[in-house]
Amino acid sequence: MKPIIFDVDTGIDDAMAMAYALNSPELEVLGFTTCFGNVPVVESTRNTLAVLEKLNRRIPVFEGAGQTLVRGKKKKYPKHAHGEDGLGNTLQFEPTIKASKGNASDFIIEQVKSRPHEITVIAVGPLTNIAMAIKKAPKIMSLVKEVVIMGGAVNVQGNVTPYAEANIVSDPEAADHVFSSGLPITLVGLDVTLQTYLLKSKLDEWRATGKESARFLAEMTDYYMKAYETSHPGLGGCALHDPLAVGVAIDSSFVSAEMMNVKVVTEGEETGRTIGQQVSGPGIRVCTKVEADRFVKHFLERVI
């Protein structure tokens, strides 16, 4: 089993990614760390605990960054896509399980130090917790096995602005700090995630299982798909952004990648843009192609 720390800003596709990871025997989820992003961090923590409760799993959850590295608090959250509660307005209960004591970046540091060269971090929100861990303990960078990041749009347009993807533009300085850190990074961006589609018809199959957790995921994803329909008319589904990062952590052959130096624009109208330059030596593995059908089949076999 591959030990992972899963860094989330739990909205709808995070919830699907959580279910996929927890139902994958290849992965040992050591803990979840939460960040602002789709919702404020307190709600991200609550949503993470709620999803775990619905999945009947008990995994430690550590609350992390409530604001960006240098820009203060995020001003606007994507409620049009994730709902008022971040889970498609499906959250009808307060989770009974509580977050663990301690801070997300400290948990990352402790785990990496205790299991050198073993731990993979999957990060599917803004990269603030990772950046803070690097700043607090720069020596951990050489001890991390891999960081799989859902973020960026190197060869395609952004999804928040024409230039920027949501996770990167939420804290561009944190992303730039992480990308230039020397960590062994695989970047799973819009270049590949936008080629992976979950069709609306699958939600009825989830509901038909009779499982409460499947119905919970179906209802929130239905909300997400309706938001998608306004931006992608006729698509009849949604992209599997965060789940693909989990898929890559399980089986890297789902994607093809190129080695690049990646810089993040931190000023002006292109803020959040990820600019990749191919390199022959060390760099970031930027995913450029995906075996979408094979990945989606794998995801569907496991998520519920």
Side-chain angles (χ1 to χ4, degrees):
M1 291 174 83
K2 179 184 283 191
I4 67 163
I5 296 169
F6 203 163
D7 193 68
V8 292
D9 59 334
T10 301
I12 294 165
D13 59 332
D14 304 69
M16 287 192 281
M18 287 175 64
Y20 181 29
L22 291 166
N23 289 329
S24 291
E26 299 89 348
L27 303 182
E28 176 195 5
V29 184
L30 303 175
F32 290 92
T33 51
T34 66
C35 186
F36 72 92
N38 290 319
V39 287
V41 71
V42 172
E43 294 173 32
S44 170
T45 303
R46 177 203 65 199
N47 291 355
T48 306
L49 293 165
V51 172
L52 285 171
E53 195 157 304
K54 282 288 186 184
L55 296 173
N56 198 25
R57 300 295 290 269
R58 296 291 182 268
I59 309 278
V61 176
F62 293 86
E63 192 165 296
Q67 61 182 33
T68 64
L69 213 52
V70 299
R71 295 172 182 245
K73 293 209 166 182
K74 184 173 177 174
K75 299 193 171 47
K76 192 177 177 190
Y77 293 94
K79 293 182 176 179
H80 65 287
H82 293 273
E84 291 295 322
D85 61 7
L87 295 176
N89 300 332
T90 62
L91 198 57
Q92 306 297 329
F93 68 100
E94 281 294 321
T96 58
I97 52 177
K98 304 296 181 192
S100 300
K101 286 186 167 57
N103 175 273
S105 56
D106 291 336
F107 174 72
I108 293 168
I109 293 164
E110 288 161 11
Q111 291 298 311
V112 169
K113 281 182 174 176
S114 69
R115 298 180 73 164
H117 314 295
E118 288 184 33
I119 288 178
T120 295
V121 179
I122 303 175
V124 296
L127 295 173
T128 319
N129 288 333
I130 318 295
M132 288 172 71
I134 295 166
K135 282 180 171 288
K136 284 181 182 177
K139 289 181 180 173
I140 69 161
M141 289 181 300
S142 63
L143 304 177
V144 177
K145 183 178 180 182
E146 186 181 18
V147 183
V148 181
I149 294 169
M150 190 281 123
V154 175
N155 297 314
V156 296
Q157 280 200 324
N159 60 354
V160 173
T161 74
Y163 309 101
E165 180 274 329
N167 289 336
I168 304 302
V169 78
S170 290
D171 196 345
E173 284 81 10
D176 197 50
H177 190 69
V178 172
F179 291 166
S180 61
S181 68
L183 279 167
I185 291 168
T186 298
L187 192 63
V188 184
L190 300 183
D191 306 68
V192 284
T193 65
L194 286 173
Q195 298 175 50
T196 64
Y197 294 116
L198 175 64
L199 296 177
K200 193 174 175 66
S201 59
K202 295 296 176 188
L203 302 187
D204 290 333
E205 294 177 22
W206 291 3
R207 292 184 183 103
T209 64
K211 288 184 182 176
E212 189 183 353
S213 58
R215 190 165 62 248
F216 182 56
L217 286 171
E219 293 307 318
M220 73 173 77
T221 306
D222 201 19
Y223 184 98
Y224 194 54
M225 287 180 174
K226 283 171 183 163
Y228 247 82
E229 193 61 27
T230 60
S231 58
H232 300 77
L235 181 65
C238 65
L240 291 166
H241 300 293
D242 294 352
L244 184 57
V246 173
V248 170
I250 296 166
D251 181 355
S252 62
S253 74
F254 284 133
V255 292
S256 303
E258 297 175 13
M259 294 303 290
M260 297 187 190
N261 282 330
V262 180
K263 296 289 181 193
V264 181
V265 177
T266 57
E267 294 178 350
E269 69 168 317
E270 293 188 10
T271 294
R273 184 175 187 173
T274 42
I275 300 172
Q277 186 172 23
Q278 282 190 310
V279 291
S280 55
I284 290 173
R285 289 182 72 240
V286 176
C287 298
T288 53
K289 294 178 182 174
V290 57
E291 291 186 29
D293 292 345
R294 185 164 72 89
F295 158 68
V296 172
K297 180 173 182 285
H298 191 266
F299 167 79
L300 287 170
E301 285 168 352
R302 300 208 172 167
V303 64
I304 58 164

